């Protein structure tokens, strides 16, 4: 793991942007993208840049079950408003949280990932060590699946909703098996509430109880963390 320590999320977003820019210079075509507050500084840096993404593809990690693209809490809405509306891509994929048949939607999304192998995957991390919506206990081999969100995740994400009852209980998530097939991974974490997860990811055993610990087995990972997120590291 290449661990880069930064002052704050703003500087972290700039570092991640540099990695993306370097990838673009080498002909990278397909990006795996993430939602959450963590990548916001990366996306605003991309929007402010003069880089052209109009021949690039993006494949997002996850989506809440039951939320449509025009729901302002959906991850499709987040991606459109934070990035795609301002920086057009050739094609963008996000799982369909409103699909009538969720199992069929998982299969369709696996095909999307197979058709568009991810060159650079951007990741945040949950307080419990989840990546995408792969919660603790999820098999490392899994592909796209329906997830029952844990209490920890629902509580962490409720800040974006009016009340906790509004937070969807289920999501569709790209699996860890697919994430690990990406050629390069960039994981960002900012803030003290991520410190335990970051410690487990970097220094702990590789265990399905802390999904991000699998990154220790990937040979091209850039971890970008601020001092607060790094505060529990040895
Ligand atoms: C959500 C997303 C993850 C994200 C995590 C952390 O549960 N599914 O992809 O990494 O939360 O979110 P944040 O960046 O807002 O802390």
């Amino acid at each position: 793991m290449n661990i880069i320590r930064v002052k704050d999320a703003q500087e972290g977003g700039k570092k991640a942007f540099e990695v993306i820019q370097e990838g673009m210079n080498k002909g990278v075509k397909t990006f795996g993208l993430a939602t959450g507050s963590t990548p916001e500084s990366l996306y605003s840096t991309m929007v402010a840049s003069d880089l052209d993404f109009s021949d690039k593809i993006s494949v997002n990690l996850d989506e809440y079950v039951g939320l449509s693209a025009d729901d302002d809490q959906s991850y499709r809405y987040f991606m459109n408003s934070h990035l795609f509306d301002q920086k057009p891509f050739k094609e963008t994929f996000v799982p369909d949280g409103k699909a009538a048949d969720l199992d069929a939607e998982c299969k369709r999304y696996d095909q999307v990932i197979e058709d568009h192998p991810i060159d650079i995957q951007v990741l945040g991390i949950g307080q419990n060590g989840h990546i995408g919506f792969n919660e603790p206990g999820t098999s490392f081999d899994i592909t796209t699946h329906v997830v029952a969100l844990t209490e920890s995740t629902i509580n962490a994400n409720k800040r974006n909703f009016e009340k906790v009852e509004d937070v969807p209980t289920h999501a569709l998530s790209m699996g860890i098996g697919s994430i690990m097939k990406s050629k390069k991974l960039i994981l960002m974490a900012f803030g003290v509430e991520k410190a335990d997860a970051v410690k487990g990811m970097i220094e702990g055993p590789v265990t399905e109880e802390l999904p991000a610990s699998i990154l220790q087995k990937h040979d091209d990972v850039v971890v970008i963390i601020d001092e607060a997120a790094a505060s529990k590291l040895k």
Side-chain angles (χ1 to χ4, degrees):
M1 282 183 181
N2 171 15
I3 300 168
I4 301 176
R5 292 179 185 231
V6 294
K7 185 168 78 244
D8 53 22
Q10 211 47 43
E11 194 187 325
K14 293 214 165 65
K15 281 278 172 221
F17 175 78
E18 283 167 25
V19 178
I20 282 181
Q21 198 168 24
E22 202 181 295
M24 301 262 285
N25 292 339
K26 290 184 189 149
V28 156
K29 186 170 169 239
T30 304
F31 293 93
L33 297 179
T35 51
S37 51
T38 305
E40 279 182 20
S41 55
L42 165 63
Y43 297 155
S44 58
T45 308
M46 286 165 77
V47 165
S49 77
D50 54 11
L51 281 192
D52 178 14
F53 289 86
S54 62
D55 63 343
K56 308 298 178 202
I57 310 279
S58 74
V59 184
N60 255 80
L61 283 171
D62 46 14
E63 179 59 284
Y64 286 120
V65 168
L67 300 193
S68 61
D70 57 3
D71 187 310
D72 62 7
Q73 294 303 336
S74 75
Y75 284 171
R76 164 51 84 179
Y77 188 97
F78 176 100
M79 290 310 301
N80 287 351
S81 55
H82 285 83
L83 185 62
F84 305 143
D85 287 349
Q86 298 156 82
K87 196 54 106 173
F89 278 58
K90 182 177 175 205
E91 218 174 346
T92 66
F93 297 97
V94 179
D96 179 5
K98 289 289 269 184
D101 181 341
L102 293 175
D103 289 334
E105 175 59 11
C106 290
K107 289 201 180 74
R108 183 193 73 85
Y109 211 67
D110 281 340
Q111 192 60 51
V112 166
I113 299 164
E114 208 175 305
D115 293 345
H116 305 283
I118 297 169
D119 296 305
I120 298 182
Q121 174 68 57
V122 173
L123 296 168
I125 185 169
Q127 292 174 21
N128 60 8
H130 74 238
I131 45 176
F133 266 132
N134 292 280
E135 296 280 30
T138 306
S139 161
F140 283 149
D141 300 325
I142 206 162
T143 58
T144 308
H145 58 295
V146 181
V147 182
L149 299 177
T150 62
E151 212 181 320
S152 154
T153 299
I154 291 175
N155 276 322
N157 291 2
K158 72 178 178 207
R159 66 185 192 280
N160 300 316
F161 293 82
E162 245 175 63
K163 45 187 192 312
V164 67
E165 296 77 43
D166 294 342
V167 186
T169 55
H170 290 76
L172 293 169
S173 182
M174 187 189 289
I176 298 173
S178 310
I179 292 172
M180 287 296 283
K181 279 191 188 152
S182 308
K183 291 193 195 91
K184 188 183 196 81
L185 304 175
I186 306 174
L187 185 139
M188 289 183 279
F190 309 121
V192 70
E193 61 283 0
K194 301 292 172 69
D196 285 321
V198 165
K199 184 179 171 58
M201 168 178 74
I202 296 173
E203 294 176 354
V206 175
T207 164
E208 289 175 351
E209 290 316 307
L210 200 143
S213 63
I214 189 68
L215 268 55
Q216 293 177 31
K217 302 271 186 204
H218 195 287
D219 63 7
D220 191 358
V221 184
V222 180
V223 175
I224 301 173
I225 43 178
D226 67 1
E227 285 311 320
S231 58
K232 296 204 173 159
L233 292 176
K234 274 193 200 121

